[in-house]
Amino acid sequence: MRVSSQDVTVVALLADPDTPTEIAQRMARMLPDRLADRSGPGRRFDVEVVSEPFTAGTEDLSTLMRRIMDRGGEEDWDVVVALTDLPLHSHGLKLVVDLSHEHGLALLSLPTLGGFRLQTRARQAVEEAVLSLAGPQATGAGEPPGSQPLRGPFIDRLAPIHPGQVGEEEIADLRYVVSGPRGYLRVLAGMVRANRPWRLVPGLSKALAAALATGAVATVNSTVWSLATYLSTPRLVIAMVGSVAIMIGWLIVDANLWHRSPESSPEARKRAALYNASTVVTVGIGVIVCYVGLVVINLLWALFILNGQVFASTTRTPLHATEYWTLSWFVASVATVGGALGSGLESDEAIRAAAYSKREQERLSVLQDDHRD
């Protein structure tokens, strides 16, 4: 690691596009002051954010660390911390962070920080990485860099994070990984958070329009009234689950979001399973939000349009709150199936961000375009 003059350490946050860049830009505003407060007297930090798809085309740790090292060699940076929203693996375990004190490099995989308080956890992780890489001058410690474990989110006894194995030929000299079922769930939650499922709802405008039209017609259909009145709660639940599952499956198939690994190794299959699980959960959250919205809109529409006498004469059941709720619930299931058909009118761009494999393809395409230029 190079040492800057005038007690100023230049820190570069090399971030993948989308979520990593947004997180890096937000933390860059407060990071210099926080690092200065925790370092030795007179020490100052300058933080730069560089957004580049440095993970495009590979998830090999050695290759990524070499890319980061080469990128850092092109600039006058003292410390480079790379942020990615891809889940990375090391010896069958999921990587949290790799550090190379010799070269002043760190590689942080954001999904392993979990799906909650991601901004705070990422900032804490970057702070600890920078202070560790900056050496005794920044930390005020007498030990050589890397001789002590990182603090912050890495020592939380509730987090399944622990030091990992580092090979002799690797650039990194300190590694943290997650393992076990809790680690898997933590990574999955982080991947879903990086997918930002709330962006899926406005992206399905045509599907929602089809669902709303279906719901509006079904609400005033006397046959639907009779069905809703005599359907038991278990059947309504089955209709809800079935319609949501149809919508999720159709969106994934229609947009070709299912990831198939070209490799046959066990690690590649595990990675593909993790990608697909995050895609299903992400799309599922978006569809469930749409379903709840349909129930509310159908209920409001039913309250406005239905006539109690006509409903009672058709179904031989008084129109009370229970009937309003049951009808709205059943119509939402019917409308969701109609929305699945309408989703075929969407462009793939509307839901492409819900799949890690699609974003990786886009980053690789961007990188190839830059090379051609």
Side-chain angles (χ1 to χ4, degrees), residues 36-84:
D37 291 341
R38 297 183 56 186
S39 62
R43 191 71 173 171
R44 293 189 296 116
F45 293 83
D46 286 340
V47 178
E48 303 176 10
V49 177
V50 179
S51 180
E52 292 182 3
F54 69 93
T55 59
T58 184
E59 296 178 10
D60 178 68
L61 294 180
S62 298
T63 302
L64 292 176
M65 290 296 281
R66 280 195 297 270
R67 285 184 181 180
I68 299 167
M69 183 172 63
D70 293 342
R71 186 65 179 88
E74 299 173 359
E75 307 288 344
D76 189 22
W77 298 332
D78 301 307
V79 174
V80 183
V81 180
L83 308 177
T84 180

Side-chain angles (χ1 to χ4, degrees), residues 112 119 150 159-160 216 256 271 315 320 334 357:
T112 52
Q119 184 69 43
L150 300 183
N256 194 25
R271 183 165 58 247
T315 64
H320 297 311
V334 175
S357 57

Side-chain angles (χ1 to χ4, degrees), residues 285-323:
I285 291 174
V287 171
I288 290 172
V289 170
C290 291
Y291 187 93
V292 173
L294 287 173
V295 171
V296 173
I297 293 174
N298 290 332
L299 179 59
L300 295 175
W301 173 242
L303 289 170
F304 172 76
I305 201 67
L306 292 186
N307 181 279
Q309 293 181 348
V310 176
F311 185 92
S313 64
T314 302
T315 64
R316 299 180 182 178
T317 302
L319 184 59
H320 297 311
T322 301
E323 283 64 41

Side-chain angles (χ1 to χ4, degrees), residues 70-321:
D70 293 342
R71 186 65 179 88
E74 299 173 359
E75 307 288 344
D76 189 22
W77 298 332
D78 301 307
V79 174
V80 183
V81 180
L83 308 177
T84 180
D85 58 357
L86 291 180
L88 303 175
H89 296 77
S90 170
H91 303 285
L93 302 177
K94 296 166 184 65
L95 176 79
V96 180
V97 65
D98 256 0
L99 295 99
S100 172
H101 293 84
E102 178 183 357
H103 301 96
L105 310 175
L107 171 60
L108 178 65
S109 177
L110 295 174
T112 52
L113 299 179
F116 303 99
R117 301 177 60 246
L118 179 58
Q119 184 69 43
T120 300
R121 289 175 174 175
R123 176 182 51 75
Q124 292 173 344
V126 170
E127 285 180 14
E128 296 301 331
V130 171
L131 293 175
S132 177
L133 295 172
Q137 187 176 6
T139 60
E143 293 83 357
S147 61
Q148 291 187 349
L150 300 183
R151 294 172 291 177
F154 302 103
I155 63 168
D156 184 355
R157 61 188 179 88
L158 298 179
I161 300 178
H162 55 83
Q165 177 184 352
V166 181
E168 295 181 358
E169 303 298 325
E170 296 188 65
I171 297 176
D173 52 41
L174 182 61
R175 171 173 295 157
Y176 281 85
V177 296
V178 296
S179 60
R182 289 175 56 228
Y184 179 88
L185 293 176
R186 183 185 178 99
V187 173
L188 181 60
M191 293 176 68
V192 172
R193 168 64 174 78
N195 281 342
R196 294 179 287 188
W198 55 87
R199 298 193 309 179
L200 188 63
V201 177
L204 293 175
S205 57
K206 293 184 178 66
L208 287 173
L212 290 173
T214 303
V217 173
T219 301
V220 296
N221 187 288
S222 59
T223 303
V224 174
W225 296 352
S226 300
L227 285 173
T229 301
Y230 291 102
L231 281 177
S232 61
T233 299
R235 289 193 174 187
L236 288 170
V237 172
I238 292 173
M240 176 184 67
V241 174
S243 63
V244 169
I246 290 173
M247 184 69 160
I248 294 172
W250 177 252
L251 288 174
I252 292 175
V253 171
D254 184 57
N256 194 25
L257 297 182
W258 197 257
H259 178 69
R260 294 177 177 85
S261 176
E263 305 174 19
S264 59
S265 64
E267 186 167 319
R269 288 196 296 268
K270 290 180 181 179
R271 183 165 58 247
L274 188 61
Y275 277 13
N276 291 327
S278 69
T279 298
V280 170
V281 174
T282 301
V283 175
I285 291 174
V287 171
I288 290 172
V289 170
C290 291
Y291 187 93
V292 173
L294 287 173
V295 171
V296 173
I297 293 174
N298 290 332
L299 179 59
L300 295 175
W301 173 242
L303 289 170
F304 172 76
I305 201 67
L306 292 186
N307 181 279
Q309 293 181 348
V310 176
F311 185 92
S313 64
T314 302
T315 64
R316 299 180 182 178
T317 302
L319 184 59
H320 297 311

